[in-house]
Amino acid sequence: MTLTVKDLTISRGGIPVLEGLNFSLEPGHALILRGPNGVGKTTLLRTVAGLQPPVEGEVQAAPESFAYAAHSDGLKATLSVSENLHFWADVFGTKGIQQALDGFDLNGLVDRPAGALSAGQKRRLGLARLLVTGRPVWILDEPTVSLDVASVELFANAVRAHLAEGGSALIATHIDLGLDAEVLDVGPFRAKPKSGTGGFDGLDESFL
């Protein structure tokens, strides 16, 4: 499944943040998004994932091909680790969670409620959901937040395995994951402020 972005302009709160973006992501490949805080990486990922419409341009890919992992871990605090993974497997119509447990070193935590996990453990469980989606295109927004060095390597290994199986990954991160991936600096595509808008000063990256 090839993801193609053509002449894309995106906005947040009615203010254009990035414009004129063109790129493609082929199966078996990863693309790393880079750029300064507040430039619009989160908004770009949300637009590609179909969570908001573009101002101009288009995203060519089937919406059901995406698995999106944002800042939230997407967990139910009262459910155990295994129950959370089974829930998401049921949502996506897939079977089996063992690969996810193994891939993110969660076997020793299967019966622990998600609400009792540390921040890093919650992040590992949130990322483990990717392995039960069956979706070929992973869209990932700062996926290594709260992860220690060993857990970052677990995540990088999961991405490598996904690529080796013909999947792809679009990742916004400032961390060097050691992946064989292309890098796209979105800074040069920052939209030019329109007269009277006051520019973009003061906008927080959590909203971009």
Side-chain angles (χ1 to χ4, degrees):
M1 173 65 66
T2 299
L3 165 65
T4 302
V5 168
K6 289 188 173 182
D7 299 321
L8 196 67
T9 295
I10 59 174
S11 68
R12 184 64 176 177
I15 300 174
V17 289
L18 295 171
E19 60 186 2
L21 280 161
N22 290 276
F23 63 84
S24 62
L25 181 59
E26 301 288 340
H29 293 267
L31 179 63
I32 306 296
L33 299 180
R34 293 276 166 78
N37 291 342
V39 74
K41 298 185 295 294
T42 292
T43 299
L44 173 57
L45 293 179
R46 286 176 53 82
T47 303
V48 171
L51 299 178
Q52 64 181 69
V55 176
E56 294 179 356
E58 58 183 336
V59 177
Q60 296 179 347
E64 62 271 16
S65 65
F66 298 137
Y68 178 59
H71 297 150
S72 172
D73 294 317
L75 307 177
K76 292 185 176 292
T78 58
L79 298 184
S80 69
V81 166
S82 62
E83 288 170 338
N84 267 281
L85 289 175
H86 278 301
F87 170 82
W88 286 108
D90 289 343
V91 167
F92 286 96
T94 59
K95 296 181 180 179
I97 65 170
Q98 193 58 53
Q99 182 186 9
L101 293 172
D102 293 342
F104 285 89
D105 193 22
L106 295 169
N107 285 293
L109 301 170
V110 288
D111 296 322
R112 186 174 300 183
L117 299 176
S118 71
Q121 289 168 339
K122 289 177 181 176
R123 194 58 171 170
R124 278 160 45 203
L125 176 55
L127 292 171
R129 293 180 301 144
L130 295 167
L131 300 182
V132 302
T133 65
R135 298 291 178 89
V137 183
W138 291 358
I139 301 176
L140 311 173
D141 194 359
E142 298 293 349
T144 60
V145 171
S146 300
L147 295 184
D148 59 22
V149 173
S151 297
V152 169
E153 186 59 24
L154 289 176
F155 167 71
N157 287 337
V159 175
R160 291 187 189 99
H162 180 63
L163 301 181
E165 293 170 357
S168 59
L170 179 63
I171 311 172
T173 181
H174 297 286
I175 302 297
D176 183 1
L177 298 172
L179 300 174
D180 182 13
E182 295 184 37
V183 175
L184 174 62
D185 182 357
V186 299
F189 300 95
R190 190 163 188 164
K192 298 176 178 63
K194 306 299 183 183
S195 177
T197 64
F200 308 106
D201 292 343
L203 291 180
D204 189 274
E205 189 183 28
S206 63
F207 297 99
L208 295 174

